[in-house]
Each structure stands twice: as structure tokens, then as C-alpha cells.
């Protein structure tokens, strides 16, 4: 597949180089006095004229952005096996419901009696997430997984403060997502690392040694970032609770067991759920997302406000509560993301959700089975929804995970997550999700196997990839550090 080259699409400002007069809109004649804005508005509110602002027709503008969109890779284009990110398909019906005027055109300060449907949807979504987790309560406020973590740890801090001592440490496994230690430290705790055992799960003896009365919480990812379930989670939660700590679960990997297991029964005190991962909704490119947090009885009094309560068949927003951690976000969170997630849950039902995780796990193990031998597996045990290979076989020919990832682009696939988790050197972390067809999963495996053969035959071909993409290898560090988005008019 050869796509258009980036250089073929000039920047917006260069689309009409001779500056011929074109127009993208037609406005009716003015029926008010034609005033000079400078005569009526304060100087500080006036925008300076944009020099050389392009004149373009509507069709040209649409074509420009459509072409740009085709230079990129998207879930709607093909398999997007970015491990830990759960890049699943966003069914179009989600977009239909999110555009219904009764949801899309609301104002967050409308009185409760005008927005009963929206409040009912939020309340029902809370019930659904309680059912999925087996927990006592849910806040829908957080904007993303990382924000959910912060919300959960702040609730834990509040509960500990109510007991008289907020404590000072949060324990985090060495395989954790970087947001976990970042959250701990943002919430005022020292993040201390728990080493992994040889099978990739938490080293229980090490945890027992680290767990003491200074530890506020242990943050665990279930299944962990290797896709391996913490099979001793009951011992872990018992150990943490015995020393007065709380168990926080990172639920970003809920896709692995939704409909199959309840974290409430595992002794969890809080777990965030990435709606934009497990429950579809558009995802990637920076948001918006939603990271609701489910909590145990112990944290129930500290849930953020505002929150929805049900009174008979009416719903009401509660704005104040002295025990609450307060507002983690304005108003009702990413409301239209909540609408999409609820649509997804309702479309699938309990049976469908269970089937989804079954297929996601099946696909990951299919990939594990087909690629083992060609790629090295540091932790070679059956996993759930994702599988982590590494590049150690290919590295003997000086081909590394980045080269394999880039070569995959030539085959029309988005690369897996690279270099994460940190405990696997040269990691290639593959998460197919349940979205692709079996044929597409097969084609992905074929491409990976072909690349492994290419590494044997012609390593330079792989090292110089990609060959067929709109841009070749860019200097990612320089692109991030010296970002240039402003058009500079040619001199002279
Ligand atoms: C995605 C992810 C997060 C962070 O979630 P965001 O919604 O991106 O903030 C945290 N932990 C794990 C394991 C994840 O995969």
C-alpha cells in the first residue's frame, strides 16, 4: 500500500499561492450599522490582522483536511495493536446517540428538572460499572485513567486523614504504567517500587517486607502490563489491609476480564476504568476520555462532588458534601463520552461484554502461539489480553524493536507498543483487542513472521523502513522539542 506523500499536501497557507479571491461562505447583507470594531471595542480585545490569511473555497478546505487525515493511521483503517491502549473499534451507533440534541445541546448549569434524561443516563452508567466491578460506588468525573488514579489516591488520602494519619508511601510494582508512580507523587506520596517475581507478577515476599504502617496504598495493575493476572491478589489485599493500607487497582486492562471477574471480591478499594479503552468511544490523538473510579464501602463517603443521586424516579445533582474530596473536574465530566460508553454497554449487554473479553484474550493467545519461536518471550506463560515479545533474537543482527515497528507500517499495520513495560528490554507489546476479524489477526501474524524472515535475509531492509509511508523516519525527539507549527511566509 503506497500512500500519498506528505510533501504532496502543502500547508493551508500555500493552497492559493496567487492569492486569488475565493470565499468559503456567503453571508446575508448587514442589517445593522457597519461599525469599525476599533471604534467600539477596547484595544486589548482586538485581534491583529493575520497577514496573508488564505482565501479558500469550502470544498478546498474539506479536501485539505480529508487528505491530511489520510496521511495518518487510524483504527478505522486497520489493526491497531498498541499494547495497554486497547485501541478498539468505536461503533457508529455511539456517535448517533452522542449527537442526540437532548444530550449534545445541554448546558451544564441547566436545572435538574430539565435534564432528567441526562442524569438518569449517568446514574445508570454508575450502576453498570458497579455491576462490572462488584464495587460499592462510582464517580464518573475523572477525565482519563491517570486522572482516575489521582482521584482514587486522593480519596484514600482523605480516608486516612479521617483516621488521623495520611501516611507517606505508595507501593508500585516495577512493571507498572508510568502514570502510577506519577500519581502517587502528585498526591504527595513517595512512590516505592515493588520488584517482580520471575513469572512477572508481584514478588509477594518483597511486598510483605515493604508493607508497613507508613504505606497508604499499594497500586496494582490487574492483569498486569504483561497481561498476566496477579493470581495471589487475595493474599496481597489481605496483607495490605492487615497493615491498615488501601488497595488501588489500575483497571486500564479491564478488557481482559470484563464480564468474567469482580474486583470487589478481590479486596480492591478503588479502581479506575478507562471508558475510552474498555467501552469503546473514540480514542487516540489526545482525548477526550473518561476515567471513572469504582470504590469500596470504605471510600464511599469521599467520592467527588457533584454526583447524581436518585430519589424515587427522580434524579438530582449533589454539589456539596463535607466528606468529599471535592470536584475533580467541572460539572459532570466528559459527559458525551459517558453517553458513548453507556451506548456500548447497552448494545452488548452482560453476555456481550463477557464475549468481548473472551475474544480479546483468545486473539492475544493466538498471536502468542503463532509468533513464539520467531520472537523471544521473556515471560512465557499464557497471558490474558496482551502479549509482550522482545527483540533479543533480532538484536543479534542489529535490528531492534523500533525497526520492526517501522517495517510493520509498510505492511499496513500500526506498530505495537514499544519499550514498555520497562522490565522487558526491547519490548514489543501487542494487544489486538476483540475488534479485528480472524483474517486480520492472521494477516498481522503473517506480516510479523515475514519481517522476522527479512531480518535473517536482509536486515538493512528492515533497518531502513518504513519505505511506503507518507514520511520516513522522523527525529521524534527534535520534532517534540522544536515543534514548528507556524507557517513562515517566504521572504521576497
Ligand atoms: C492507559 C493506561 C493508563 C492511563 O490511562 P489514560 O486514560 O491514558 O490516562 C494507566 N495505566 C495503564 C496500565 C494504562 O494502560
Amino acid at each position: 500500500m503506497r500512500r500519498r506523500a506528505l510533501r504532496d499536501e502543502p500547508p493551508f497557507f500555500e493552497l492559493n499561492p496567487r492569492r486569488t479571491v475565493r470565499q468559503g461562505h456567503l453571508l446575508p447583507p448587514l442589517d445593522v450599522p457597519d461599525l469599525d470594531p476599533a471604534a467600539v471595542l477596547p484595544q486589548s480585545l482586538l485581534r491583529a490582522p493575520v497577514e496573508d490569511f488564505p482565501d479558500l473555497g469550502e470544498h478546498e478546505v474539506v479536501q485539505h483536511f480529508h487528505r491530511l487525515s489520510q496521511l495518518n493511521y487510524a483504527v478505522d483503517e486497520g489493526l491497531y495493536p498498541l499494547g495497554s491502549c486497547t485501541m478498539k473499534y468505536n461503533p457508529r451507533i455511539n456517535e448517533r446517540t452522542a449527537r442526540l440534541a437532548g444530550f449534545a445541546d445541554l448546558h451544564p448549569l441547566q436545572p435538574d428538572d430539565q435534564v432528567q434524561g441526562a442524569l438518569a443516563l449517568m446514574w445508570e452508567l454508575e450502576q453498570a460499572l458497579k455491576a462490572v466491578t462488584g464495587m460499592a460506588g462510582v464517580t464518573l468525573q475523572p477525565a482519563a485513567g491517570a486522572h482516575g488514579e489521582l482521584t482514587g489516591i486522593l480519596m484514600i488520602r482523605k480516608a486516612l486523614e479521617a483516621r488521623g494519619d495520611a501516611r507517606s508511601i505508595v507501593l508500585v510494582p516495577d512493571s507498572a504504567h508510568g502514570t502510577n508512580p506519577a500519581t502517587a507523587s502528585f498526591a504527595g506520596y513517595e512512590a516505592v517500587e515493588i520488584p517482580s517475581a520471575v513469572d512477572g507478577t508481584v514478588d509477594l515476599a518483597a511486598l510483605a517486607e515493604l508493607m508497613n504502617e507508613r504505606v497508604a496504598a499499594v497500586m496494582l495493575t490487574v492483569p498486569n502490563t504483561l497481561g498476566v493476572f496477579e493470581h495471589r491478589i487475595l493474599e496481597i489485599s489481605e496483607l495490605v489491609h492487615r497493615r491498615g493500607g488501601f488497595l488501588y487497582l489500575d483497571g486500564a486492562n479491564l478488557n481482559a476480564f470484563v464480564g468474567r471477574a469482580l474486583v470487589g471480591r478481590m479486596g480492591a478499594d478503588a479502581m479506575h476504568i478507562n471508558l475510552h479503552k474498555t467501552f469503546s468511544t473514540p480514542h487516540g490523538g489526545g482525548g477526550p476520555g473518561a476515567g471513572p473510579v469504582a470504590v469500596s464501602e470504605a471510600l464511599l463517603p469521599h467520592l467527588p462532588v457533584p454526583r447524581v443521586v436518585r430519589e424515587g424516579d427522580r434524579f438530582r445533582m449533589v454539589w456539596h458534601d463535607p466528606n468529599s474530596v471535592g470536584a475533580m473536574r467541572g460539572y459532570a465530566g466528559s459527559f458525551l463520552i459517558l453517553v458513548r460508553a453507556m451506548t456500548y454497554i447497552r448494545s452488548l449487554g452482560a453476555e456481550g461484554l463477557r464475549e468481548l473479553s473472551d475474544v480479546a484474550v483468545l486473539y492475544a493467545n493466538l498471536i502468542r502461539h503463532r509468533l513464539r519461536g520467531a520472537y523471544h518471550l521473556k515471560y512465557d506463560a499464557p497471558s490474558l489480553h496482551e502479549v509482550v515479545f522482545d527483540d533479543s533474537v533480532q538484536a543479534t543482527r542489529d535490528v531492534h524493536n523500533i525497526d520492526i515497528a517501522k517495517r510493520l507500517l509498510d505492511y499496513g499495520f500500526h506498530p505495537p507498543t514499544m519499550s514498555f513495560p520497562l522490565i522487558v528490554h526491547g519490548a514489543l507489546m501487542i494487544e489486538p483487542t476483540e475488534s479485528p476479524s480472524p483474517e486480520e489477526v492472521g494477516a498481522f501474524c503473517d506480516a510479523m513472521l515475514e519481517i522476522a524472515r527479512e531480518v535473517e535475509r536482509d536486515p538493512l531492509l528492515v533497518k531502513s523502513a518504513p519505505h511506503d509511508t507518507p514520511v520516513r523516519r522522523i527525529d521524534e525527539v527534535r520534532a517534540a522539542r522544536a515543534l514548528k507549527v507556524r507557517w513562515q511566509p517566504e521572504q521576497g
Side-chain angles (χ1 to χ4, degrees), residues 464-483:
S464 55
H467 303 278
D468 290 342
T469 49
V471 285
R472 302 288 297 274
R473 286 201 197 194
I474 56 166
D475 181 337
E476 288 164 18
V477 175
R478 192 157 157 253
R481 296 244 167 100
L483 184 65

Side-chain angles (χ1 to χ4, degrees), residues 83-86 143-149 175-180 221-225 250-253 272-277 283 289-291 385-386 420 429 431:
S84 207
C85 294
T86 316
H147 196 207
E149 291 171 31
S175 61
H177 196 273
T179 51
N180 292 189
T221 307
V222 284
N224 66 18
T225 47
D250 180 326
N253 295 336
H272 74 261
I273 300 163
N274 304 58
L275 294 187
H276 48 285
K277 293 182 180 174
H283 167 204
H385 66 306
E386 57 199 2
F420 175 73
M429 181 195 219
E431 180 184 6

Side-chain angles (χ1 to χ4, degrees), residues 180-197:
N180 292 189
T183 292
S185 119
F186 207 75
Y189 289 106
E190 183 193 346
V192 173
E193 201 168 273
I194 319 168
S196 293

Side-chain angles (χ1 to χ4, degrees), residues 429-453:
M429 181 195 219
I430 302 172
E431 180 184 6
T433 82
E434 72 284 2
S435 295
S437 66
E439 290 77 13
E440 194 173 14
V441 174
F444 171 76
C445 292
D446 292 345
M448 285 292 286
L449 292 172
E450 185 54 30
I451 292 169
R453 284 190 290 270

Side-chain angles (χ1 to χ4, degrees), residues 36-189:
D36 175 8
V40 286
L41 290 174
Q43 194 60 32
S44 61
L45 295 182
L46 294 177
R47 193 191 66 185
V50 181
E51 220 173 299
D52 274 332
F53 194 78
D55 279 345
L56 296 170
E58 178 179 314
H59 195 192
E60 284 178 288
V61 174
V62 169
Q63 285 176 333
H64 174 68
F65 286 106
H66 184 72
R67 286 187 210 122
L68 284 183
S69 78
Q70 291 180 318
L71 295 171
N72 211 341
Y73 193 93
V75 170
D76 290 346
E77 189 167 337
L79 188 70
Y80 207 128
L82 202 55
S84 207
C85 294
T86 316
M87 303 300 290
K88 65 169 68 178
Y89 172 63
N90 174 50
R92 289 302 174 265
I93 186 156
N94 295 352
E95 300 307 304
R96 281 287 285 271
T97 53
R99 278 165 181 71
L100 290 174
F103 292 136
D105 296 345
L106 299 182
H107 189 282
L109 287 178
Q110 260 172 273
D112 293 346
D113 60 0
Q114 292 178 5
V115 292
Q116 285 293 302
L119 299 184
L121 179 133
M122 291 170 69
W123 189 84
E124 278 179 32
L125 179 57
E126 285 181 12
Q127 305 314 303
L129 297 179
K130 275 157 65 176
V132 155
T133 56
M135 300 285 270
V138 168
T139 171
L140 300 175
Q141 255 186 36
H147 196 207
E149 291 171 31
L150 181 64
T151 306
I153 297 295
L154 288 180
M155 283 190 266
I156 288 170
R157 177 181 269 283
K158 188 100 180 164
L160 286 166
E161 275 167 359
R163 279 197 225 149
D165 177 12
R167 303 192 171 190
S168 59
I169 291 171
V170 168
L171 298 178
V172 184
D174 55 7
S175 61
H177 196 273
T179 51
N180 292 189
T183 292
S185 119
F186 207 75
Y189 289 106

Side-chain angles (χ1 to χ4, degrees), residues 315-384:
F315 301 90
R316 181 168 72 81
M317 276 287 218
V318 173
W319 292 84
H320 301 284
D321 177 351
N323 293 317
S324 162
V325 285
M328 292 301 294
R329 259 200 101 188
Y331 311 113
S334 304
F335 176 68
L336 293 176
I337 295 295
L338 308 182
V339 174
R340 290 174 171 94
M342 190 66 212
T343 306
Y344 188 70
I345 291 172
R346 279 292 196 86
S347 323
L348 289 179
E351 270 305 306
L353 289 178
R354 171 191 289 242
E355 206 178 314
L356 153 187
S357 56
D358 288 356
V359 176
V361 170
L362 182 68
Y363 278 161
N365 281 281
L366 187 79
I367 293 171
R368 166 187 292 277
H369 179 74
R370 282 205 59 202
L371 301 189
R372 67 155 12 124
Y375 294 91
H376 180 249
L377 274 172
K378 180 173 174 189
Y379 297 97
D380 192 5
S383 56
L384 292 170

